[in-house]
Amino acid sequence: MDIQTLETWLWDAACAIRGPVDAPKFKDYILPLVFLKRLSDVFEDELARLAAQFGSEKTARSLLEQERARGPVSLVRFYLPDHARWEAIRRQTAGLGQYLTEAVRAVARENPRLSGVIDIQR
């Protein structure tokens, strides 16, 4: 595949995702989507590492939730609440903009070092 074909394919995919949203406003959707997808992938990778270390995914999730209940989390780089994880995001069919805003704010609340970086309000 040459670069022109790839660019065309990506643009067409973006337009299909964007739907009726104006192209300049599309960044308000795509940037949080890409950001949350990446955080979710890293979170799942780290959870898999913990599962291997502690013997099961159930044990790893339990330990992570126990640590979270006590305060800041150190078992993973960034803790993602359930509704900010990719599996929940991909099921959204309506109100995506508001859902993404709330998900990013929840990530900032759970991870104080991201507060003011990812949840800046305009």
Side-chain angles (χ1 to χ4, degrees), residues 8-51:
T8 300
W9 181 79
L10 288 172
W11 179 254
D12 290 345
C15 288
I17 293 169
R18 177 171 46 91
V21 177
D22 291 335
K25 288 284 290 169
F26 185 55
K27 70 176 175 19
D28 294 342
Y29 293 88
I30 198 68
L31 293 177
L33 276 172
V34 170
F35 177 74
L36 290 169
K37 174 65 167 120
R38 176 65 181 147
L39 278 183
S40 190
D41 287 350
V42 169
F43 180 81
E44 292 301 324
D45 287 348
E46 290 178 340
L47 196 56
R49 176 187 50 80
L50 291 172

Side-chain angles (χ1 to χ4, degrees), residues 46-56 59-60 63 75:
E46 290 178 340
L47 196 56
R49 176 187 50 80
L50 291 172
Q53 180 180 349
F54 295 113
S56 75
T59 300
L63 290 170
L75 288 172

Side-chain angles (χ1 to χ4, degrees), residues 2-14:
D2 63 31
I3 192 72
Q4 182 62 39
T5 303
L6 179 60
E7 286 176 354
T8 300
W9 181 79
L10 288 172
W11 179 254
D12 290 345

Side-chain angles (χ1 to χ4, degrees), residues 111-122:
N111 302 278
R113 62 188 172 158
L114 293 177
S115 186
V117 175
I118 63 171
D119 61 341
I120 297 172
Q121 297 179 20
R122 295 184 248 167

Side-chain angles (χ1 to χ4, degrees), residues 83-113:
H83 70 280
R85 297 176 193 166
W86 190 250
E87 284 303 311
I89 293 168
R90 64 187 287 259
R91 289 191 300 265
Q92 290 305 304
T93 58
L96 182 61
Q98 185 61 37
Y99 188 89
L100 292 174
T101 298
E102 291 170 7
V104 168
R105 287 179 181 160
V107 170
R109 278 191 305 275
E110 292 287 341
N111 302 278
R113 62 188 172 158

